[in-house]
Amino acid sequence: MKPQKVTPFLWYESAAEQAAEFYCTLFDYSRILTVHRYPEGGFAPAGSVMTVEFELGGTRFVALNGGPVFRLTEAFSLSVACEDQREVDFLWERLIADGGAPSQCGWLKDRWGLSWQIIPRVLPTLLASPEPGVAGRVMAAMFPMQKIDVATLEQAAAAPS
């Protein structure tokens, strides 16, 4: 298998290891790969976690404890293609727990400020429908949602023009 060439690098104030461990509980094919610690004379106390390399669903990430200099923003998000409503519900509830916050159209922030898009696989399919009016009805149904509701999208798609 070809090695991953591009790796998302996430900046945390001080919770890189906790965040990575939590994310790994949510997805199959996920694990902590390595934890690197600050040396003597480094930015943070010697021995404290500097970076955590981990995989989510087989994709490699690096999380850094870099202090409060930079913050995660909605300008970067992780998009998760969910198989069904059950998976949407599972991820949504866990990611907003303990201080996360819902946003619009399937977006949320977790407790550390990382933005996620929790999107059922059916949504892009419905939005790409060649049938006249389907994409518009689906989009109109989605706009007021925070967590995406698959049944409501499918009802909108099936509604007469």
Side-chain angles (χ1 to χ4, degrees), residues 31-141:
R31 63 194 174 125
I32 302 294
L33 299 170
T34 58
V35 176
H36 298 279
R37 300 193 178 275
Y38 278 102
E40 289 289 335
F43 167 78
S48 64
V49 172
M50 180 172 63
T51 60
V52 180
E53 294 179 52
F54 62 104
E55 288 181 354
L56 289 184
T59 300
R60 190 171 154 264
F61 291 79
V62 176
L64 165 74
N65 281 333
V69 178
F70 298 109
R71 301 272 182 213
L72 296 164
T73 74
E74 293 85 352
F76 177 84
S77 64
L78 298 178
S79 182
V80 181
C82 298
E83 296 303 321
D84 52 28
Q85 188 68 52
R86 187 171 146 203
E87 186 177 11
V88 168
D89 295 345
F90 171 83
L91 291 172
W92 188 269
E93 295 309 317
R94 280 155 187 81
L95 287 166
I96 64 169
D98 300 323
S103 188
Q104 293 301 118
C105 302
W107 289 59
L108 62 83
K109 275 189 172 184
D110 68 25
R111 68 186 103 170
W112 298 284
L114 181 59
S115 290
W116 296 78
Q117 298 176 57
I118 306 302
I119 306 298
R121 286 192 190 277
V122 71
L123 178 59
T125 302
L126 294 173
L127 290 174
S129 174
E131 293 181 41
V134 169
R137 291 192 305 271
V138 169
M139 187 72 73

Side-chain angles (χ1 to χ4, degrees), residues 130-149:
E131 293 181 41
V134 169
R137 291 192 305 271
V138 169
M139 187 72 73
M142 181 190 64
F143 276 149
M145 293 180 185
Q146 289 184 321
K147 178 176 70 173
I148 301 295
D149 183 289

